[in-house]
Amino acid sequence: VVSNPGETTHLELRVQKKSGSFIWVEITFRNQMNNSYVGAIIANFRDINERKIAEGLIKSSEEKYRKLFNYNPLSLFVWNPDNFEILEVNESAISEYGYNREEFIGMSVVDLVAPEYKNRFMQTAQKIKSNHQFITSYTSTNLKKNGEVIHIFITYQPIEYFGKRVNLAMVNNITEQVLLENQLTAEQNLKQKEITRAVITAQEQERQHISRELH
C-alpha cells in the first residue's frame, strides 16, 4: 500500500480488544500520500465478527451435511427432474452399483431403472416435476453396472441443491429380504402340496380298505 499511491487494499484479520478478547475486523487501506490535502494512508476498520461467526457455522453445517450424505449407509442420488441427470452420489451408491463418481455424474437416473419399472418411474418423475413438494416411496428393481438386478425400496424427496429445486433418491437394497420371502413362499407352497398329496393318499388308502372290507 505504501509503495503504491492511490491504491486501495482490503484485509480481514483478528484483532485483540482492550478486554483481551479477539474479534474479526475488515480493514480498508487507502494510500492518499499523493493527495496534497491528505498526505497520509487512511485505514477504515469495520467489525465483521458476527458475519465470520455465521460463515463458520455455515461451513460447519455444510461439512456435517457432506459427511452425513457421503457416509450414509443408503445409496443416495441427487438428480434433476427436468432432464433426469444425476448431479451427485454418495459412497454407498458407488459401492452398490459399481459405477465410479465420474461415470455417475451426468448419467441419466433412468439408466438405473429395470425395464419393467421404467413406465412407473416416468409417471413418478412427472409428478415430481409438476409438484415440488411431492414425496413418495415404493419397491422397484434397479440394474447395477454389471447387469445384476437388485430389489430396492426407494424414496423420492425434493431438496435444494445450489439454489435449484432438485430431487433426492434414497435407495435401500432389499434383495436379500425379497429372495428370502420368495424362498419362504416357495417352501410354504411345497409344504402345502405335500400335505395335500398326503391327504389324497390317505383318502385313497381308506377307500381301498373300505372296498376290501365290503368285498
Side-chain angles (χ1 to χ4, degrees), residues 6 10 27 29 35 63 83 86 88 111 125 130 135 175-176 185 188 198 206:
H10 300 278
I27 308 174
F29 294 104
N35 187 325
E63 289 176 352
N83 57 12
I86 295 175
E88 187 62 82
D111 296 334
S130 59
I135 300 175
T175 301
E176 291 186 5
T185 300
Q188 288 174 350
E206 181 65 18

Side-chain angles (χ1 to χ4, degrees), residues 104-165:
F104 262 131
I105 304 304
M107 178 179 173
S108 174
V109 71
V110 182
D111 296 334
L112 301 176
V113 183
E116 64 270 23
Y117 279 91
K118 285 188 185 292
N119 287 337
R120 183 178 185 180
F121 170 77
M122 296 304 292
Q123 293 172 2
T124 302
Q126 187 60 42
K127 293 178 181 178
I128 290 172
K129 185 176 180 180
S130 59
N131 181 2
H132 290 168
Q133 303 301 320
F134 183 72
I135 300 175
T136 187
S137 301
Y138 58 82
T139 56
S140 181
T141 55
N142 274 186
L143 300 175
K144 301 171 76 168
K145 183 179 180 180
N146 61 7
E148 179 184 346
V149 175
I150 58 173
H151 298 271
I152 63 168
F153 182 79
I154 189 166
T155 299
Y156 294 108
Q157 179 172 328
I159 62 169
E160 288 289 334
Y161 182 78
F162 292 104
K164 181 177 177 59
R165 198 70 169 174

Side-chain angles (χ1 to χ4, degrees), residues 2 113 212:
V2 173
V113 183
R212 285 195 298 270

Side-chain angles (χ1 to χ4, degrees), residues 57-72 76-78 88-90 157-162 166-169:
L57 291 174
I58 291 172
K59 183 178 180 181
S60 175
S61 177
E62 288 176 346
E63 289 176 352
K64 288 179 181 178
Y65 168 77
R66 178 58 58 181
K67 289 180 180 179
L68 180 64
F69 180 85
N70 277 333
Y71 301 111
N72 195 301
L76 303 179
F77 299 86
V78 177
E88 187 62 82
V89 294
N90 69 345
Q157 179 172 328
I159 62 169
E160 288 289 334
Y161 182 78
F162 292 104
V166 296
N167 202 266
L168 174 68

Side-chain angles (χ1 to χ4, degrees), residues 9-13 15 25-29 43-46:
T9 300
H10 300 278
L11 178 67
E12 292 182 0
L13 73 164
V15 297
V25 297
E26 181 184 61
I27 308 174
T28 301
F29 294 104
N44 294 325
F45 291 77
R46 184 164 66 96

Side-chain angles (χ1 to χ4, degrees), residues 91-116:
E91 295 299 326
S92 295
I94 293 171
S95 175
E96 184 71 67
Y97 285 80
Y99 295 96
N100 60 43
R101 190 176 302 278
E102 289 71 24
E103 291 173 319
F104 262 131
I105 304 304
M107 178 179 173
S108 174
V109 71
V110 182
D111 296 334
L112 301 176
V113 183
E116 64 270 23

